[in-house]
Amino acid sequence: MKYFRHCCLLFTLVLTSSSFAFQDVESMEAFQRGNFEQAIKSLTTKLSQSDAKIKPGEYIDTSVYLALAYQSVGHFKSALAILRKAEIIAQQTNDSIRHAMVLNHLSEVYLALDNFSEENVCPLPKLTVPKTALACINQAVEKAKQTE
């Protein structure tokens, strides 16, 4: 199961990198070398810039990469927090494509966190983590359909 999750994470990283142009060369080089700790530092610095310097779409894309870096080193709760912020921005800006992308990544984090208690992880009451992941996937599919 762990091997399957890593394959899914790698596939998602490749899919995300081809879908959105990512301008942070230092972070991408760190990803390619497998130096996720350096990527986390670089991406965290980029996200800490003032709102005037980073556009909402770029903030979301950077957040997704940061979440992937956190996932790669096993920091799933950090990835969850980053993706929740990115989801709010995607909703506020009505960016349905990026919103669907964030929901897809949220579902992966929820699946990875399936051994944690529901109270600590799930934003939706009375749902187990796998059901929350499925809800995120379904929501992502609906968002994608809206863009067609």
Side-chain angles (χ1 to χ4, degrees), residues 16-140:
T16 304
S17 65
S18 64
S19 299
F20 293 93
F22 194 66
Q23 303 300 321
D24 190 340
V25 176
E26 179 184 352
S27 299
M28 283 309 296
E29 287 177 355
F31 265 106
Q32 291 171 352
R33 290 188 314 262
N35 188 350
F36 299 111
E37 293 294 340
Q38 179 59 39
I40 288 170
K41 287 178 188 175
S42 177
L43 293 168
T44 301
T45 300
K46 185 174 178 86
L47 286 180
S48 66
Q49 294 176 350
S50 67
D51 292 337
K53 293 183 180 178
I54 188 166
K55 297 178 182 175
E58 188 178 355
Y59 184 91
I60 295 167
D61 294 346
T62 303
S63 295
V64 167
Y65 275 96
L66 179 56
L68 286 169
Y70 277 131
Q71 284 177 266
S72 297
V73 295
H75 298 166
F76 297 104
K77 289 185 179 182
S78 297
L80 182 65
I82 294 294
L83 289 170
R84 283 180 176 166
K85 290 178 187 176
E87 181 185 15
I88 291 168
I89 293 171
Q91 288 173 332
Q92 290 173 343
T93 59
N94 292 321
D95 190 339
S96 58
I97 293 174
R98 284 188 173 93
H99 190 203
M101 180 180 67
V102 170
L103 290 171
N104 176 50
H105 291 289
L106 273 171
S107 68
E108 292 174 7
V109 173
Y110 286 130
L111 287 173
L113 286 169
D114 66 356
N115 61 337
F116 288 93
S117 67
E118 179 180 333
E119 299 82 22
N120 295 331
V121 177
C122 296
L124 304 174
K126 299 181 183 177
L127 288 177
T128 62
V129 173
K131 287 183 181 176
T132 303
L134 183 59
C136 286
I137 292 170
N138 289 335
Q139 194 174 0

